[in-house]
Amino acid sequence: MNEDFLHFIWKYKLYQPELFSTDGQPIQVIHPGIKNTDGGPDFFNAKIKIDGTLWAGNVEIHQSEHEWYQHQHHLDPGYNNVILHVVAKQNKHTINASNRKVTVCSLPIPQALEQRYQTLLTNDNWIACEEAISSVTPLTLNQWLDRLLIERLENKSELINELLASTKNNWDQVFFVLLARSFGFGVNGLPFEIMARQTPLSVLLKHSNSLFQVEALLFGQAGFLSKLSPPDAHIRDLKKEYDFLRSKYQLQPINSSMWKFLRLRPVNFPTIRIAQLASFICQTKGHFESLFTLNNTQNRLSTLQTEASAYWSTHYLPGKKSAKTERKTLGKQSKLRIIYNTIIPYLFIYYSKHSNEEQKEKIIDYLYQQPAEKNRIVNKWAELNLVAENEAQAQALLHLKYNYCNHKKCLNCRIGHEVLCKN
C-alpha cells in the first residue's frame, strides 16, 4: 500500500462511504483539498466535518501513523494547521508542534479497488492495463490523448529554457542543439547534444562553404579525431584541419567513449549521423526557414534530404575501410522522426514563449492532419485496438507508453483511473 495510492483514494473519494476517526467520531469530507506538489502537508484547504463541526485546513496522509514522527512533523509548526491525519494503519496518537492532538482517520479502502491496483502494479504485460483497456470509453481515450499531445509538445520546455539561459537567448544555437540531439535517434542523443553545446553554430556557419572543414569541426568535437590507430590520409587531413580550427576558436571536444555503437546497424552509427549533420549544415547554411513552414511536410523532407560525403560510402568508422555502399542518406522515417520529435515541439515552445496562440493552434492542427507514422510502439498499440488515426494521436501514444506505462504511473493516467474505478 504505497502513499501515492492513498493520495489517489483520498483525492477522488474512493474510500468506503462511512468515515470515522480512530476514536469513533463521524467524518464527512466536504472537499478533500488541493494536492500539494511542494513541501508541506499533502492537501491544502480541505473542508471536513468532524463530529458535526466544520473544519477548514490541511490534510496529511501516511501509510502508518508513526511516519508522522519519522518525518518530524510533530516538531514542525508548518503542520500545526493539519486538521486530519489520514492513514492506512493506525498505531499511535498524532500530536503537532503546539502539542495539540490531531484527529486521525484510518482510511477504509474497498478490497476490489486495492486488488485491481495490485494487479496493475505486479503484472508483466506490455502495459499494465493490457487486459482491461478495451473496456475504457472512447471519450476517455480521446480526451486523454488530446491532453498527452500537448504534454509531449511542452516536454522540451525545460531543456529549451536551460539552453536559452546558457546561450543568452540565441534561438538559432538552441535549435542546432536540439537538431543535433535528434540525429542521435535516442541512443546517441545525449552525446550529440553535448557535442552541439560545445560547438557554436556561428563557427560552423563561417565554414559552411567547405564540407571538409565542417566535418573536421564536428568529428573533432565528437572526439573521433583523437588517438586514432591507424588513421588514413583523409582522417589525418581532418585532424590537421581540426587542430588548427580548435586552436583558433578555443574549442573543447567531448570524450569519444560517450558514443554508443553496440547493437546498432552500421548505417545508424553515430559517425554516419555526424557526417549527415555536417552535410545538412553545409546544405542549409543556417537557413532553417523551410523546416519551420507549417503545412508543408514535403518541403521539410526535401530540406532534410542530406547524405554523408563520399568518404563514408566506403567507411562506417574513421580510418576503417568497408565494402562500398550507396551514399548514406537519411531515410524517410528518420526524417519524419526529426520533424515530429524535434522541429514541431521546438516551434510550439517558440510560439508559446512569444505568446502566439494562433501559430500554436496551427501546429496542433497540422499534426491532426498528418497520417500516423508507423513504428514499433504505435503498431503495438494497434494490436490492443488503440489505433492512431493521425500523427497527433501517434505522438500522444508514444508519450503515454514512455512516460506513463513504462513507469506504471497508472494513478496519473486517465485510462488507469477508469480501469481502477470501474464498477
Side-chain angles (χ1 to χ4, degrees):
M1 184 71 63
N2 64 51
E3 199 168 295
D4 288 339
F5 185 48
L6 297 176
H7 287 193
F8 175 76
I9 292 170
W10 177 258
K11 180 178 179 180
Y12 295 102
K13 296 185 177 182
L14 300 176
Y15 39 78
Q16 292 172 357
E18 292 188 340
L19 286 183
F20 293 90
S21 68
T22 53
D23 54 6
Q25 295 176 313
I27 294 173
Q28 181 185 0
V29 180
I30 309 300
H31 190 283
I34 300 169
K35 184 77 167 69
N36 175 28
T37 56
D38 297 315
D42 294 318
F43 287 84
F44 287 152
N45 302 323
K47 292 181 180 179
I48 300 170
K49 276 188 178 180
I50 302 175
D51 200 20
T53 301
L54 181 62
W55 293 74
N58 302 332
V59 174
E60 180 68 5
I61 298 177
H62 287 124
Q63 294 181 66
S64 61
E65 201 174 345
H66 75 269
E67 292 179 20
W68 176 275
Y69 297 96
Q70 278 186 339
H71 302 162
Q72 300 196 350
H73 298 332
H74 65 299
L75 303 176
D76 187 347
Y79 287 79
N80 282 351
N81 56 2
V82 169
I83 60 174
L84 186 66
H85 187 199
V86 178
V87 297
K89 179 181 178 183
Q90 186 258 346
N91 52 19
K92 64 189 300 185
H93 296 300
T94 298
I95 304 296
N96 65 19
S98 63
N99 207 34
R100 178 179 64 84
K101 185 177 178 181
V102 180
T103 300
V104 178
C105 173
S106 185
L107 202 61
I109 302 169
Q111 186 176 6
L113 175 62
E114 185 175 354
Q115 287 177 342
R116 283 196 292 269
Y117 182 56
Q118 290 300 326
T119 299
L120 291 179
L121 281 186
T122 57
N123 74 63
D124 294 323
N125 294 333
W126 187 72
I127 58 171
C129 63
E130 191 168 306
E131 304 298 330
I133 195 170
S134 60
S135 66
V136 176
T137 61
L139 179 62
T140 296
L141 289 171
N142 290 329
Q143 289 182 340
W144 185 224
L145 292 181
D146 288 345
R147 173 57 207 150
L148 288 174
L149 171 64
I150 304 302
E151 192 174 294
R152 182 169 175 84
L153 289 172
E154 293 174 340
N155 215 30
K156 282 191 167 62
S157 61
E158 184 176 346
L159 173 59
I160 289 176
N161 287 337
E162 190 268 314
L163 288 170
L164 286 171
S166 64
T167 62
K168 299 180 180 179
N169 291 318
N170 186 333
W171 282 95
D172 287 338
Q173 181 67 27
V174 169
F175 179 71
F176 170 62
V177 173
L178 296 176
L179 182 69
R181 183 182 176 90
S182 71
F183 270 72
F185 294 97
V187 66
N188 279 301
L190 183 59
F192 260 106
E193 177 189 326
I194 297 172
M195 177 191 73
R197 283 174 179 263
Q198 296 181 191
T199 310
L201 177 62
S202 58
V203 170
L204 293 172
L205 295 182
K206 284 180 182 178
H207 299 274
S208 59
N209 287 325
S210 168
L211 179 57
F212 174 77
Q213 288 182 318
V214 173
E215 277 199 359
L217 283 164
L218 290 179
F219 278 100
Q221 287 294 90
F224 285 122
L225 301 181
S226 303
K227 301 177 182 177
L228 289 173
S229 178
D232 58 24
H234 179 72
I235 297 303
R236 280 196 297 268
D237 290 342
L238 282 179
K239 185 178 187 310
K240 182 179 178 181
E241 185 67 20
Y242 173 67
D243 289 342
F244 169 75
L245 295 172
R246 176 185 177 183
S247 176
K248 179 178 180 179
Y249 296 113
Q250 299 296 296
L251 300 175
Q252 182 62 40
I254 69 173
N255 193 315
S256 62
S257 64
M258 296 181 65
W259 299 99
K260 296 178 177 63
F261 292 83
L262 189 64
R263 298 188 183 92
L264 288 179
R265 294 172 55 217
V267 72
N268 294 326
F269 279 1
T271 45
I272 302 302
R273 298 307 188 194
I274 291 171
Q276 290 166 342
L277 180 60
S279 175
F280 175 80
I281 293 298
C282 292
Q283 176 181 308
T284 61
K285 294 181 169 52
H287 300 298
F288 304 132
E289 291 80 4
S290 60
L291 293 176
F292 300 157
T293 304
L294 288 175
N295 300 322
N296 201 331
T297 302
Q298 197 55 49
N299 273 4
R300 289 196 180 105
L301 292 173
S302 298
T303 302
L304 289 169
Q305 186 60 39
T306 182
E307 62 182 34
S309 61
Y311 176 82
W312 299 100
S313 64
T314 55
H315 294 79
Y316 289 104
L317 295 169
K320 294 185 178 180
K321 196 165 186 178
S322 61
K324 186 171 183 178
T325 61
E326 295 181 4
R327 291 286 184 91
K328 298 176 175 71
T329 63
L330 282 174
K332 182 178 180 180
Q333 289 305 312
S334 294
K335 288 184 281 188
L336 287 173
R337 284 184 65 182
I338 292 172
I339 291 170
Y340 296 140
N341 296 337
T342 299
I343 296 171
I344 295 299
Y346 168 83
L347 289 174
F348 188 84
I349 300 299
Y350 177 85
Y351 290 125
S352 295
K353 291 282 187 184
H354 291 82
S355 302
N356 193 330
E357 295 300 319
E358 182 181 355
Q359 288 298 322
K360 286 172 63 178
E361 287 297 324
K362 286 182 178 179
I363 288 170
I364 295 170
D365 290 343
Y366 167 79
L367 289 173
Y368 277 101
Q369 293 164 10
Q370 305 307 307
E373 62 178 312
K374 303 298 181 185
N375 57 52
R376 179 177 58 86
I377 301 298
V378 173
N379 291 342
K380 184 64 179 179
W381 280 114
E383 291 177 16
L384 299 177
N385 294 319
L386 216 173
V387 179
E389 297 178 359
N390 47 59
E391 184 56 29
Q393 291 190 345
Q395 289 291 304
L397 289 171
L398 288 170
H399 191 73
L400 176 59
K401 172 59 176 170
Y402 287 126
N403 294 275
Y404 289 84
C405 302
N406 284 359
H407 304 285
K408 294 210 171 183
K409 290 186 176 180
C410 306
L411 300 179
N412 304 110
C413 172
R414 292 185 195 173
I415 296 172
H417 286 196
E418 189 164 317
V419 169
L420 284 167
C421 301
K422 66 183 179 180
N423 293 326

